[in-house]
Structure formats: C-alpha cells, structure tokens
Amino acid sequence: LTASLDRTGAAQGTYKGSIMLTSPNPTGTKTVTTTVMVTGTIDTGPSISSPRANPTTIYVANCSRLPKNGKTTAEVTVTVSGPVPLTEVVLHWSPSGGGQGGTSIMSGVGSSYAGQLGPFDTAANVGWYVTAIDTASATATTQSQALQVSGC
C-alpha cells in the first residue's frame, strides 16, 4: 500500500490528517476498516526576492582604459527565505551568443546572499539567475536578468 499527499492545495506547515483503509475480511463475509493517522510537513519551498547586480554594466577584464569608477566584476545579491533551512543558493550565468557559462555557490548571512559575476574576457550581455534549494529539495529560481559587459 502506498499513500501520497497532494501538497498543491495544502497550507504550509505541519499537516495532520487520516486515511481510512478498507479491505475484505479474509473469510469474505465482511469488510474490515481501519483509520491510520498521518502527519507531514508541507514545504512550499524557498522564496527569492530582490535579485540585483551592482553595477549593471561592467567592462572586459584587463581593460587598459577602464573609466573612473568602472568595474570588471559585479556583485549579485538576493534575499532568500523559506520554511526550512537552505542547502545552497547558486548563481548561474551564460553569455549571449554562446561562450562558457558557469555557476557558483553564493555566500550568505541570515537571509542575504551575495555572489560575483565576472570578470569576462569579451564584451557581451551575460544572462544570470539564482536558484535556492532547501533541505527538503524544494527549489526556487529567479527570472533571468542581464549584465552588460562593455569593451574598452
């Protein structure tokens, strides 16, 4: 016997309920019914808010004419919350038009997480997004954002 809980309509938190099991009596004269109590935790997963890259435009690595206050890396920050602890928050990136993308684990304090994008060798738009994974293997992912990497 396998029982499962459809969590799509359930409220977050502790779930307590029962399942009624009915089976024929081995002699076939009447049915036997029993109630089994079940408990579970409903995890709606982590929530990611305020994804930002600062600055939103950076310059290629080894730029010999880097403008004043120009940077070759950007800091990506997000706020992550959820009902259960997180196992990791991951920054993903991929340059437009191909090229090598990557991932890195973001560092966090409390609900604030940060990671670095760049430096990059060529000018391009770099798409990036963040994924959070909790101890129940529930995930959340931000929409893709763009970082502009300008030439010198």
Side-chain angles (χ1 to χ4, degrees):
L1 170 69
T2 300
S4 62
L5 172 63
D6 179 1
R7 293 177 164 101
T8 57
Q12 181 171 300
T14 301
Y15 171 81
K16 292 182 180 181
S18 61
I19 300 173
M20 184 177 290
L21 302 173
T22 304
S23 65
N25 186 313
T27 63
T29 58
K30 68 179 206 179
T31 59
V32 176
T33 301
T34 188
T35 301
V36 178
M37 298 304 295
V38 293
T39 60
T41 300
I42 309 301
D43 175 13
T44 57
S47 174
I48 306 173
S49 60
S50 305
R52 290 187 177 84
N54 185 27
T56 57
T57 299
I58 61 173
Y59 295 88
V60 294
N62 301 317
C63 180
S64 59
R65 299 183 315 262
L66 190 65
K68 183 178 181 181
N69 298 324
K71 300 193 181 282
T72 58
T73 62
E75 181 182 54
V76 172
T77 57
V78 294
T79 301
V80 184
S81 60
V84 298
L86 297 169
T87 56
E88 61 187 9
V89 178
V90 182
L91 174 61
H92 308 257
W93 67 89
S94 180
S96 63
Q100 184 171 349
T103 61
S104 67
I105 302 297
M106 299 178 77
S107 58
V109 175
S111 62
S112 299
Y113 287 80
Q116 180 178 296
L117 280 175
F120 298 99
D121 293 330
T122 57
N125 281 323
V126 175
W128 64 270
Y129 64 95
V130 174
T131 301
I133 306 163
D134 70 16
T135 56
S137 298
T139 63
T141 302
T142 65
Q143 290 188 340
S144 184
Q145 311 267 343
L147 174 71
Q148 175 65 45
V149 181
S150 295
C152 279

